[in-house]
Amino acid sequence: MRIDPELRALRGDRTSQRKAQKALERVRDDWRNGTAREVLEELGSYGEGATFEDCPALCALFDDCAEAGQLVTALMQPMMACLSRNPLGQVPIRHQHSNGLSVLQLAYSGRAALSVLSYSELDFVPGASACFAGGERHEAVLVGSADVRMLELLAERDQSAAIDCTTRRVMAGETLRFEGREQTKSILQVHGRMVILRLSRTEEVPADACEYALEDGRLMHRASGSRQESGREMKAALLGRMGRRDAAPVLARMTREGSDHLRWQAMRECLALDSGVGFAALSDLAGNAGDPLAATAGALRAQLIETYPQLARLDETPCPA
């Protein structure tokens, strides 16, 4: 493996690296305590549930894109200057890049976040689907332009949705607002580069996020809008992939609390890990007429017994496995 001489030298000079990182963090903190102080104070209120209209500093950013641009410039100019002096430092702001979209999360508080999004013409690939996730978003186009689909969710069925679509070009100086789960946008083509300042807030009780194919409206993916519940779902799936049979009783308990989506995912993993524990939990669900999953559980139970008749005896005898 080739190691650049600068990196090799840095490995032997940890003090220099710490100083570089401190310098970048100082730029960020100076911005937060100076130019952005009032905005970030209101971000805290907004994240706790205050209305957008009750946050004048935030409103000003999306009433006049010039103010939004000044806020971002006040951070990025000194940050880039500091980075040029410390090229091996790490910008102390959460960031990510994927498929032509770069995101910098400038700040977050409670349910609210303030972020900069940069779309690249060369790398960006338009999506064939759209995700309706709910919440509230305000966007100010700082630089560039793009052709955009404005999407509205008209009706949802079990495995599909009716979506209204209009296409237009958005340009620097424009502001956009999306409220609720029924509205979102999809980027078609970026002209050069487009940079957006976004203020977002999740709902107090997040609804499921649903991704639909734009061609025919079919449901492609459904996920919990709650980070906590999504985390529990991923843990259940991980336990299943690891083959942790000892986790089956825990998964069985998970079938009794949380959203229907999480409970059913836990049920699937429990059945796969331990047929006895899983089938008992499935029978409990099927036998509770007031449970929204009762009919689905009953149908699966009947299907499993038809395929594996020995399962019918599991309610009476211990699982031989």
Side-chain angles (χ1 to χ4, degrees):
M1 178 186 294
R2 176 187 177 275
I3 299 178
D4 189 278
E6 288 190 61
L7 289 174
R8 190 183 299 278
L10 189 62
R11 289 174 64 183
D13 186 8
R14 296 185 180 180
T15 300
S16 176
Q17 177 65 9
R18 286 196 295 269
K19 287 181 178 178
Q21 200 58 40
K22 288 292 184 182
L24 290 166
E25 292 172 1
R26 194 156 46 245
V27 171
R28 178 201 61 193
D29 295 341
D30 288 347
W31 176 78
R32 289 179 174 176
N33 297 323
T35 304
R37 182 172 182 175
E38 186 177 2
V39 167
L40 297 185
E41 287 177 352
E42 289 190 0
L43 183 70
S45 300
Y46 184 64
E48 292 175 357
T51 64
F52 179 67
E53 289 72 20
D54 288 336
C55 302
L58 290 177
C59 287
L61 295 177
F62 300 93
D63 286 339
D64 183 357
C65 287
E67 288 205 26
Q70 291 167 8
L71 179 74
V72 175
T73 300
L75 171 63
M76 299 314 299
Q77 278 189 347
M79 184 67 74
M80 293 303 295
C82 185
L83 192 61
S84 68
R85 297 190 298 271
N86 303 279
L88 299 179
Q90 176 75 25
V91 175
I93 300 172
R94 179 181 290 183
H95 56 277
Q96 64 184 52
H97 175 82
S98 176
N99 298 327
L101 172 62
S102 300
V103 181
L104 287 172
Q105 188 181 82
L106 303 182
Y108 72 93
S109 181
R111 296 187 283 119
L114 189 66
S115 307
V116 173
L117 290 73
S118 176
Y119 297 87
S120 168
E121 176 186 28
L122 297 177
D123 299 330
F124 186 76
V125 179
S129 61
C131 184
F132 293 85
E136 184 176 340
R137 298 202 314 273
H138 303 265
E139 299 182 347
V141 184
L142 306 181
V143 176
S145 62
D147 297 329
V148 176
R149 288 192 186 106
M150 308 302 288
L151 302 165
E152 183 178 0
L153 193 59
L154 300 178
E156 288 185 280
R157 294 175 283 276
D158 184 34
Q159 294 296 320
S160 64
I163 301 171
D164 182 57
C165 173
T166 58
T167 303
R168 72 179 186 89
R169 181 168 295 183
V170 298
M171 306 181 68
E174 286 191 59
T175 59
L176 305 171
R177 181 170 183 168
F178 303 92
E179 292 185 88
R181 190 167 170 274
E182 291 74 28
Q183 298 176 329
T184 191
K185 75 176 191 303
S186 174
I187 305 291
L188 287 174
Q189 182 178 0
V190 180
H191 303 288
R193 182 178 296 275
M194 182 173 71
V195 179
I196 288 175
L197 178 67
R198 172 187 288 175
L199 171 68
S200 60
R201 182 173 67 181
T202 59
E203 296 169 335
E204 189 171 3
V205 181
D208 286 353
C210 293
E211 181 181 359
Y212 293 102
L214 294 176
E215 182 180 11
D216 55 12
R218 60 188 168 83
L219 178 65
M220 298 178 64
H221 181 69
R222 181 189 298 271
S224 172
S226 165
R227 290 184 181 181
Q228 181 181 11
E229 195 152 284
S230 290
R232 295 180 67 196
E233 187 176 333
M234 286 189 287
K235 290 172 185 176
L238 179 60
L239 289 169
R241 300 298 82 77
M242 292 174 66
R244 290 292 301 270
R245 189 178 178 188
D246 58 320
V250 176
L251 293 169
R253 290 194 295 272
M254 287 176 64
T255 66
R256 299 193 290 268
E257 57 184 23
S259 71
D260 292 347
H261 189 269
L262 171 63
R263 293 167 60 213
W264 193 249
Q265 177 68 25
M267 174 60 69
R268 292 173 58 193
E269 300 296 345
C270 187
L271 279 168
L273 287 172
D274 188 311
S275 59
V277 174
F279 193 77
L282 183 67
S283 297
D284 288 343
L285 277 185
N288 184 359
D291 195 308
L293 294 177
T296 304
L300 177 59
R301 185 178 186 279
Q303 181 183 349
L304 289 174
I305 289 177
E306 182 179 356
T307 307
Y308 307 101
Q310 62 269 32
L311 288 175
R313 298 193 298 272
L314 289 180
D315 289 336
E316 303 173 1
T317 60
C319 174

